[in-house]
Amino acid sequence: MRQLTRLGSLLSMIVLAGASSVAADAVTLENVQDPGENRRDEPLAKEFSLEKAVGFLDSAALQWQKQRQCFTCHTNYAHLYARPSVSADAPAAKEVRKFAEELIQKRWADKGPRWDAEVVATAAALAFNDAATTGKLHPLTRQALDRMWTLQREDGGFTWIKCDWPPMESDDHYGATLVAIAVGTAPEGYAQTAAAVKGMERLKHYLKENPGPTLHHRAMVLWGASKMEGLLSQDEKQKIVEKLRDLQKPDGGWALASLGDWKRADDTPQDTEHSDGYGTGFVVYVLRQSGVPASDLRIQKGIGWLKANQRESGRWFTRSLHKDSKHFITHAGSAFAVMAIAECQDSK
């Protein structure tokens, strides 16, 4: 990911949904404009724009931070993962990063984390962000990673938030895979520290005893296995890759709902037939991480779908797996879309 910061030169202007143009280097907490609701009926963009995509990610993350004063997996944590794949120098990227660091410095120091999951999610996002920007492990990232191990259960797993908001906030398995991604991604040899070696041995045991119940779970393990040895055998990796490939739609995209068997809280059926931003961005990104080349026809078709199905605001719509309300999974889906496109930008 580090080399992908070269894409920052592509950014000059960000057009926010329903607002006038705002210079990319001027989007801050003070002037951020609400990107608007995630609507399935939002028109498609006339042409693909990376600038608009990053503009949406910036405005969504800063607006969430400004209004709610908290971090969440689908919005500002996702921003920490995706933003460096384009540029980490913009004020928005720095402000989201600063907010995460203050979480550790101030709130954890004064009141402690709200949940164990907050420690894991923060450690993972900052480790990923460090690797994609400076290539150095920030002292606060190390602090979060080390604190993470104090929360590991006897069975090797971690207690996660269970809000019935899949795929991110519904079961412990998701948190366990984030730990693997965090340790494998963290720069400066963190994975070789005594705490990480001991913790990962227990985590590997947990993942073997608790296989992912859905293909999305297994794809998360595949992502982790691209960073850490011993999570999956070569045969297991290939089987997951093949299952992901088999679910590609004729239009080139993937549907998030097809990666699992989640039940909706509003008793409506899941949409497993239509491609969406999260399904496509996530699968393309994970396949690339697992070693599938950008030249692969399925990858090319996936990128083609993303570039043809961006919305006017810069986002990629994804229907919530929980109920038809805010569809915040659109934010994470847009982050994965940007990461997927960046992963294929300069690759052969």
Side-chain angles (χ1 to χ4, degrees):
M1 294 289 292
R2 205 172 306 160
Q3 73 271 23
L4 295 173
T5 54
R6 289 178 292 169
L7 290 175
S9 62
L10 297 175
L11 294 176
S12 57
M13 297 294 287
I14 294 177
V15 182
L16 296 176
S20 57
S21 296
V22 179
D25 61 357
V27 181
T28 66
L29 277 174
E30 293 183 357
N31 67 16
V32 63
Q33 300 173 56
D34 193 332
E37 294 185 359
N38 300 306
R39 297 171 19 235
R40 73 176 69 205
D41 63 347
E42 180 185 355
L44 294 176
K46 294 181 179 178
E47 60 182 9
F48 166 69
S49 170
L50 182 62
E51 294 86 348
K52 278 193 174 184
V54 177
F56 170 74
L57 293 180
D58 286 349
S59 59
L62 290 179
Q63 187 71 6
W64 190 279
Q65 180 176 328
K66 187 174 185 177
Q67 287 188 334
R68 302 174 188 251
Q69 290 295 303
C70 72
F71 266 86
T72 186
C73 289
H74 53 59
T75 301
N76 30 20
Y77 279 129
H79 186 275
L80 284 171
Y81 283 88
R83 196 55 168 88
S85 66
V86 179
S87 170
D89 293 329
K94 294 177 180 178
E95 291 200 70
V96 176
R97 170 81 194 207
K98 178 183 177 183
F99 188 45
E101 292 178 352
E102 289 176 347
L103 188 69
I104 302 170
Q105 288 177 305
K106 297 180 179 180
R107 197 174 75 201
W108 291 7
D110 296 339
K111 301 179 180 179
R114 292 174 300 172
W115 312 285
D116 291 0
E118 184 175 79
V119 177
V120 173
T122 302
L126 288 179
F128 196 95
N129 196 268
D130 283 350
T133 54
T134 65
K136 303 290 185 181
L137 190 63
H138 193 283
L140 290 174
T141 306
R142 184 182 294 275
Q143 182 179 328
L145 288 165
D146 288 343
R147 186 166 188 161
M148 181 177 73
W149 297 121
T150 69
L151 304 172
Q152 190 173 29
R153 301 189 309 237
E154 285 298 320
D155 67 354
F158 292 80
T159 301
W160 202 248
I161 297 175
K162 302 176 184 66
C163 304
D164 194 26
W165 296 339
M168 296 179 166
E169 298 174 354
S170 59
D171 59 62
D172 291 343
H173 194 278
Y174 185 85
T177 55
L178 270 191
V179 172
I181 292 167
V183 176
T185 305
E188 297 192 304
Y190 181 80
Q192 281 72 54
T193 62
V197 170
K198 180 180 178 180
M200 281 304 304
E201 284 304 312
R202 296 167 66 188
L203 180 62
K204 290 174 184 177
H205 176 76
Y206 171 84
L207 290 174
K208 288 187 182 300
E209 293 296 315
N210 298 272
T214 71
L215 182 55
H216 185 278
H217 287 85
R218 295 191 288 277
M220 286 290 293
V221 179
L222 180 64
W223 181 6
S226 72
K227 308 296 181 183
M228 290 292 301
E229 292 291 334
L231 291 181
L232 295 170
S233 67
Q234 191 58 43
D235 183 59
E236 289 171 328
K237 292 178 185 178
Q238 189 58 37
K239 286 180 178 178
I240 296 171
V241 168
E242 290 174 359
K243 286 184 178 296
L244 290 171
R245 284 173 165 170
D246 288 346
L247 287 176
Q248 188 171 29
K249 303 297 182 185
D251 63 6
W254 279 264
L256 169 57
S258 71
L259 303 181
D261 56 356
W262 303 285
K263 305 299 181 184
R264 293 175 60 81
D266 55 12
D267 294 325
T268 56
Q270 297 283 12
D271 183 0
T272 61
E273 297 302 318
H274 295 93
S275 300
D276 55 54
Y278 186 107
T280 308
F282 174 75
V283 172
V284 170
Y285 179 76
V286 170
L287 288 177
R288 288 286 294 119
Q289 292 298 297
S290 71
V292 179
S295 59
D296 183 273
L297 181 59
R298 292 183 183 274
I299 295 292
Q300 291 183 355
K301 289 179 65 178
I303 293 297
W305 187 93
L306 289 171
K307 290 185 175 182
N309 286 274
Q310 186 182 30
R311 303 304 176 100
E312 284 184 345
S313 63
R315 79 192 83 192
W316 283 264
F317 179 79
T318 302
R319 186 191 186 201
S320 169
L321 295 172
H322 180 63
K323 64 179 181 179
D324 287 317
S325 180
K326 301 297 184 180
H327 304 293
F328 288 133
I329 195 65
T330 292
H331 300 177
S334 298
F336 272 120
V338 168
M339 293 165 69
I341 291 168
E343 277 294 302
C344 297
Q345 184 68 28
D346 291 328
S347 302
K348 299 299 182 182

